[in-house]
């Protein structure tokens, strides 16, 4: 199983742009390394640890065009296929040079979060978690039932995230194990194989009273997958015409096990 963490090489010399872009990327669960010019980008890319490159065009020492061109000329399929997205304030006016240098796409500056997320999602799947839910099976096509189902599944994932965050408390292992039981029906409905695999590994570590340090990455991964699934559920709600809904506090949640 691939590590949940996505590695981004952010090539940008402006500190304000670095701050905005890196914080958005970290919010979306990504690990960010920063290069301040094209030469630094080339020096870092040889490690082959990155999943995508976000490349500014106008930089000192070496600009984004030349850096991208040199990366594409490196003798390994990794360098020829890694997505490189240009950061530019010039829009499409430099499109031809971007194509010639081997860049895949453009993100305009100043940054707009949704555009950045949408463009990155075209090349890596971490921001668009697919849903494997058979909604008709659970709702018989009733839009109101689907609305409530989406809401309850989000609530279950939030409860799971709270349990993960509380694991370092005195009764943290017991609380998390109890949370796993409470949300097991929701987890079954979500039907996400990677999510289930990580969850089972955490269960085994809790049962064995393993030190948290031994499975901290799994906890972080499950928390991230929960967040991505919540985003996908919200997107599904929006597509279904239910973009504004909250769980009913008086309704018994049938997707929490007794």
């Amino acid at each position: 199983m691939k590590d949940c963490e996505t590695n981004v090489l952010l090539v940008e010399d402006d500190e304000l742009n670095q701050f905005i872009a890196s914080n958005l990327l970290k919010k979306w669960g990504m690990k960010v390394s920063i290069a301040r010019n094209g030469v630094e980008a080339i020096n870092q890319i040889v490690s082959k640890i990155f999943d995508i490159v976000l490349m500014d065009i106008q930089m000192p020492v070496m600009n984004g065009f030349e850096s991208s061109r040199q990366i594409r000329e490196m003798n390994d399929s990794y360098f020829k296929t890694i997505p490189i997205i240009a950061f530019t304030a010039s829009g499409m006016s430099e499109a031809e040079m971007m194509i010639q240098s081997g860049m895949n796409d453009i993100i305009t500056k100043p940054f707009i979060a949704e555009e950045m997320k949408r463009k990155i999602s075209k090349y890596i799947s971490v921001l668009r978690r697919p849903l494997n839910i058979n909604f008709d099976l659970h709702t018989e096509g009733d839009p109101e039932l689907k609305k409530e189902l989406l809401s309850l599944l989000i609530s279950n994932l939030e409860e799971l995230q709270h349990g993960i965050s509380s694991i370092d408390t005195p009764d943290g292992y017991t609380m998390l194990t109890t949370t796993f039981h409470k949300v097991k029906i929701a987890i079954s409905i979500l039907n996400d194989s990677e999510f289930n695999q990580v969850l089972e590994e955490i269960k085994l570590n809790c049962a064995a009273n393993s030190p948290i340090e031994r499975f901290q990455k799994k906890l972080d991964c499950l928390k991230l997958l929960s967040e991505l699934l919540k985003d996908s559920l919200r997107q599904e709600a929006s597509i279904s015409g239910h973009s504004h809904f909250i769980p009913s506090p008086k309704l018994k949640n049938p997707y929490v096990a007794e």
Side-chain angles (χ1 to χ4, degrees), residues 148-149 152 156 247-258:
E148 197 64 38
L149 174 60
L152 292 169
N156 273 241
S248 171
K250 295 182 181 179
L251 181 66
K252 180 177 176 59
N253 188 339
Y255 304 103
V256 174
E258 298 296 333

Side-chain angles (χ1 to χ4, degrees), residues 118-146:
R118 177 172 54 82
K119 289 293 182 75
I120 294 172
S121 296
K122 289 170 60 178
Y123 301 97
I124 55 176
S125 62
V126 69
L127 295 180
R128 55 178 195 274
R129 192 76 187 168
L131 295 176
N132 301 314
I133 304 171
N134 186 341
F135 287 104
D136 288 342
L137 177 66
H138 303 290
T139 67
E140 294 187 330
D142 187 319
E144 289 303 314
L145 289 179
K146 183 178 181 180

Side-chain angles (χ1 to χ4, degrees), residues 89-101:
S90 302
M92 296 301 295
S93 64
E94 298 174 318
E96 184 61 30
M97 293 183 67
M98 293 174 192
I99 292 170
Q100 290 177 359
S101 64

Side-chain angles (χ1 to χ4, degrees), residues 53-101:
V53 179
L54 305 181
M55 180 82 73
D56 188 24
I57 299 298
Q58 303 299 329
M59 295 180 292
V61 186
M62 181 185 290
N63 65 41
F65 295 134
E66 180 62 20
S67 180
S68 297
R69 186 186 64 77
Q70 290 193 25
I71 290 170
R72 293 305 190 208
E73 290 177 351
M74 291 180 180
N75 189 26
D76 188 289
S77 61
Y78 168 84
F79 303 112
K80 300 184 187 306
T81 58
I82 184 171
I84 302 176
I85 302 181
F87 280 161
T88 177
S90 302
M92 296 301 295
S93 64
E94 298 174 318
E96 184 61 30
M97 293 183 67
M98 293 174 192
I99 292 170
Q100 290 177 359
S101 64

